[in-house]
Amino acid sequence: GKSGYEHYMLKEIHEQPRALRQCLRGRVDELSGTVDIGDLGDLSPTGVQFVACGTSYHAALHGAQLFREAGIPSQAFLASEYATATPPIGDALVVGVTQSGETADTLSALRAARRRGARTLAVTNVVGSTAARECDHALYIRAGPEIGVAATKTFASQLAALNLLALGTSSTGDARQVISALRDLPGHVQEILDESAAQEIAEIYQDADAYFFIGRGYHEPVALEGALKMKEITYKHAEGFAAGELKHGPLALVTENTPVFAIVTGDDERARKTVGNVKEVEARDAPVVAITDGQSDVSRYADHVLELPETHPRAAAVLANIHLQLVSYHTAALLGRNIDKPRNLAKSVTVE
Ligand code: M6R
């Protein structure tokens, strides 16, 4: 049941600390600062191609960034495109990211890769799913069953699992910092669940014409995910962009009735550039909601702040998404939408 929550989606949003703990349990050794993902640790890929759809594609974008940062060429593909125009694979490992393990587009992409002799890995939530059975390897995200059509806890768990995969099969300079950020993640998620101002934001902007989401680096896939969740459950227009792309077209859509959610953490060059993009938006009188750890001066240009703790940017991406899930959820609730079963959508899409 819904354990007292009004919707499965809200219950599942609140299950994220536990889902993340389950994903990390036994796989992270905090003392030695190492990751143990069993046999998968021997994969040592020289290249990685991710295939996925929807929310899982956003997780795949995160995964591809992780491997590129470790010096391993990597790219995320929409499964529906990959299946019909399979790119050269070489000796890349092909990773299907799929919560259900039953998404037709993703299964087709994985089959196309296998026909070309590629090794395949399923990153999935469902033990015994078609993707898990058909791939050479499986990495389970262990989020527990997800009933709401909107993917919430499984996205957080996918990001955590992909971090384990990258840490376990490659080496990066800041592995220790990432592991410590992962260890802190469930507690940080709980703080956001307890303290987020998302409901107030939803109340203020429930009548907006459209919602825009921007971010750079690890925050770009979260911007895309924020928009997908918003349109899926509120039926309102929402778009996510890499922050730098706003001025190349979408800025024409920005008005005083289109709140812009900007994810900005740290105070490096990336953050400063996103703050620059926020100033452009503010100059056009659009309301700005900054999702920030307060290290940059973005809040000076923002109408509202959704607070994040200071942590590794990879973990901050998971945390920023929690605020955005809550904004979408509360907006949909205020609009009286059928949150757990949005119109026209199915939990797992078994047709191409
Ligand atoms: O089961 P999968 O992860 O393969 O599903 C992929 C998408 O259909 C899914 O993530 C969809 O985008 C969600 N409903 C979004 O909330």
Side-chain angles (χ1 to χ4, degrees):
K2 289 181 264 189
S3 337
Y5 289 100
E6 205 170 327
H7 299 97
Y8 280 108
M9 182 182 178
L10 190 60
K11 173 177 181 255
E12 288 157 2
I13 287 173
H14 281 268
E15 282 172 349
Q16 287 176 113
R18 189 159 55 130
L20 287 165
R21 276 191 200 99
Q22 280 168 193
C23 181
L24 300 173
R25 183 167 299 141
R27 291 167 164 173
V28 177
D29 184 351
E30 290 162 28
L31 286 178
S32 62
T34 55
V35 161
D36 180 3
I37 47 170
D39 295 348
L40 297 178
D42 304 328
L43 282 174
S44 44
T46 52
V48 184
Q49 294 184 351
F50 288 93
V51 295
C53 308
T55 292
S56 294
Y57 173 67
H58 301 149
L61 289 169
H62 180 93
Q65 283 186 44
L66 299 177
F67 280 95
R68 288 199 296 271
E69 231 175 60
I72 297 172
S74 179
Q75 217 181 328
F77 295 88
L78 289 166
S80 55
E81 292 297 317
Y82 189 98
T84 50
T86 314
I89 300 176
D91 57 2
L93 173 71
V94 177
V95 180
V97 183
T98 167
Q99 185 282 130
S100 62
E102 304 298 344
T103 299
D105 287 321
T106 308
L107 293 176
S108 292
L110 288 166
R111 286 170 191 151
R114 272 181 72 81
R115 275 199 300 275
R116 299 197 178 181
R119 291 180 300 167
T120 54
L121 163 67
V123 177
T124 183
N125 196 29
V126 181
V127 177
S129 60
T130 307
R133 283 187 282 110
E134 291 188 0
C135 287
D136 301 308
H137 308 277
L139 174 62
Y140 294 105
I141 65 169
R142 302 182 186 158
E146 190 175 68
I147 310 293
V149 164
T152 52
K153 63 175 178 173
T154 56
F155 179 69
S157 298
Q158 285 170 337
L159 297 189
L162 291 170
N163 273 279
L164 296 178
L165 182 67
L167 288 165
T169 58
S170 63
S171 53
T172 39
D174 61 352
R176 265 178 188 279
Q177 287 96 302
V178 176
I179 287 172
S180 121
L182 288 174
R183 182 199 55 204
D184 293 341
L185 198 48
H188 280 155
V189 170
Q190 190 61 55
E191 283 168 28
I192 291 177
L193 293 172
D194 294 341
E195 291 159 25
S196 178
Q199 186 162 7
E200 293 155 47
I201 305 287
E203 278 161 16
I204 297 169
Y205 297 113
Q206 57 178 301
D207 297 320
D209 292 339
Y211 302 84
F212 299 118
F213 299 83
I214 59 172
R216 270 193 161 68
Y218 289 113
H219 302 328
E220 188 210 341
V222 175
L224 303 182
E225 174 60 10
L228 176 61
K229 212 91 314 173
M230 185 64 96
K231 42 190 145 181
E232 184 176 24
I233 61 166
T234 70
Y235 314 156
K236 305 248 304 190
H237 181 217
E239 298 290 338
F241 307 104
E245 277 298 294
L246 202 62
K247 59 187 173 301
H248 297 290
L251 198 52
L253 295 171
V254 167
T255 71
E256 62 205 2
N257 278 321
T258 62
V260 177
F261 292 77
I263 310 159
V264 189
T265 62
D267 193 20
D268 57 1
E269 200 194 335
R270 246 180 203 165
R272 283 193 288 273
K273 284 188 171 169
T274 308
V275 175
N277 304 130
V278 166
K279 287 185 201 168
E280 292 160 17
V281 162
E282 194 229 2
R284 276 138 192 106
D285 291 329
V288 173
V289 182
I291 299 100
T292 184
D293 58 6
Q295 293 193 67
S296 68
D297 62 353
V298 69
S299 38
R300 270 212 260 154
Y301 310 99
D303 299 273
H304 313 274
V305 171
L306 293 169
E307 288 179 22
L308 298 173
E310 283 185 29
T311 182
H312 195 282
R314 297 182 187 184
V318 178
L319 297 168
N321 191 58
I322 311 286
H323 281 301
L324 298 184
Q325 290 170 344
L326 289 168
V327 173
S328 289
Y329 172 81
H330 288 298
T331 305
L334 288 162
L335 295 172
R337 302 301 191 225
N338 189 0
I339 294 181
D340 286 332
K341 275 188 175 294
R343 68 186 181 200
N344 309 340
L345 300 176
K347 181 64 181 165
S348 82
V349 183
T350 52
V351 290
E352 291 180 57

